[in-house]
Amino acid sequence: RVDVSRAGGTDMTAVNAAIDAKSTSDRAYAQAQAEGLLLEKAALASNTGNKIYDPINYGAVGNGVADDTVAMQAAIDACITGNGSLYLRGRSYLLGAITASTAVVGNPTASWRSPKAIVGDNATILAKAGTTTLWTMQGTSNMVMSDIRFIGQNNCVTVLDTNWTQSAAPAQCNHYRKIEARGATGIVWKAASNNGSNFDSCVVVAKDWDTVSLQILANGGHVRLNSCEFLPGIIETNCQSLIIHD
């Protein structure tokens, strides 16, 4: 069932009733879907008091040609400092290496900070020439990333790196919804130790049959893959529990 306290005042009675009506096998999937939509809405709703940061307001052009690296990083850094959410309009952003989380020194149980949510409006992130890893977001917990397409052109090796790097830190419990990642020459999406995370309606495309599309290793908790596509189809995994729904 969905925690009403996370809904920003939204009445979740009907949602919870729908979840309860489903069979046991489908209930976890229904809850994950509802929770993801709820968190996305709460992250951007004005009545939550959450600040929204838009890279366009920091000088990004979003035409897929101009280099938006500096503007995007500035928006992310301000977002982390302001404890807000990052909003990406439905544009194309040409970027070099981006770091979307920062370490908190001296706090081993909550060692990283990131935006509360990174919510796109069908946004596209393009790797500029010379980029090895396009988007690094290590050590995040309980955050939503949705509706973004990451394209690793120009010989980019890894498109997304959401690895957890702190052995003493808690499970991530992130929710990735409608994320597309493709175009890398190596592992497309690194997601080691993404404990308790949900991947909903994600599409990850590797360059060939010998390349790993999604790597989810050393997970101490469950990982859910809901209505995802992995092409050509190689997933490298070592999870305590991997739950797959078509």
Side-chain angles (χ1 to χ4, degrees):
R1 295 175 65 83
V2 179
D3 185 355
V4 178
S5 67
R6 304 175 71 180
T10 303
D11 184 1
M12 299 305 295
T13 303
V15 173
N16 283 325
I19 292 174
D20 289 340
K22 288 185 173 291
S23 66
T24 302
S25 62
D26 291 338
R27 194 170 297 158
Y29 171 64
Q31 178 169 339
Q33 290 281 45
E35 189 78 2
L37 292 171
L38 174 61
L39 290 174
E40 180 178 324
K41 177 181 177 181
L44 294 180
S46 59
N47 65 357
T48 64
N50 189 29
K51 296 180 180 179
I52 309 302
Y53 294 83
D54 183 342
I56 298 297
N57 296 330
Y58 290 80
V61 178
N63 63 1
V65 178
D67 186 348
D68 289 328
T69 307
V70 174
M72 181 66 73
Q73 191 64 64
I76 291 172
D77 293 345
C79 184
I80 294 174
T81 300
N83 195 29
S85 295
L86 185 70
Y87 172 67
L88 302 180
R89 306 184 198 189
R91 301 187 183 186
S92 296
Y93 304 89
L94 182 66
L95 304 176
I98 290 294
T99 301
S101 57
T102 59
V104 179
V105 179
N107 190 351
T109 61
S111 303
W112 294 80
R113 291 184 62 196
S114 68
K116 288 183 178 179
I118 300 176
V119 178
D121 184 10
N122 196 28
T124 298
I125 304 295
L126 303 169
K128 73 176 187 179
T131 302
T132 301
T133 300
L134 178 54
W135 192 280
T136 301
M137 190 172 63
Q138 297 181 339
T140 59
S141 292
N142 298 303
M143 64 90 67
V144 176
M145 184 166 70
S146 68
D147 292 285
I148 306 171
R149 182 183 301 108
F150 295 89
I151 309 296
Q153 58 188 13
N154 295 315
N155 293 318
C156 179
V157 178
T158 295
V159 175
L160 275 170
D161 183 350
T162 61
N163 284 343
W164 180 266
T165 58
Q166 299 293 315
S167 60
Q172 282 202 352
C173 297
N174 289 331
H175 200 115
Y176 307 105
R177 180 175 174 270
K178 294 180 68 176
I179 298 298
E180 179 180 334
R182 62 173 67 227
T185 60
I187 298 170
V188 182
W189 187 345
K190 295 180 179 179
S193 296
N194 276 225
N195 303 343
S197 291
N198 294 301
F199 297 76
D200 286 335
S201 302
C202 294
V203 177
V204 187
V205 182
K207 69 180 181 69
D208 53 38
W209 282 101
D210 295 323
T211 306
V212 174
S213 56
L214 177 68
Q215 183 186 64
I216 42 177
L217 300 177
N219 289 278
H222 72 269
V223 172
R224 287 192 176 96
L225 306 178
N226 305 318
S227 300
C228 294
E229 294 182 53
F230 303 99
L231 305 171
I234 299 177
I235 304 175
E236 187 176 6
T237 179
N238 177 14
C239 301
Q240 187 178 60
S241 174
L242 181 63
I243 304 169
I244 302 175
H245 292 269
D246 289 336

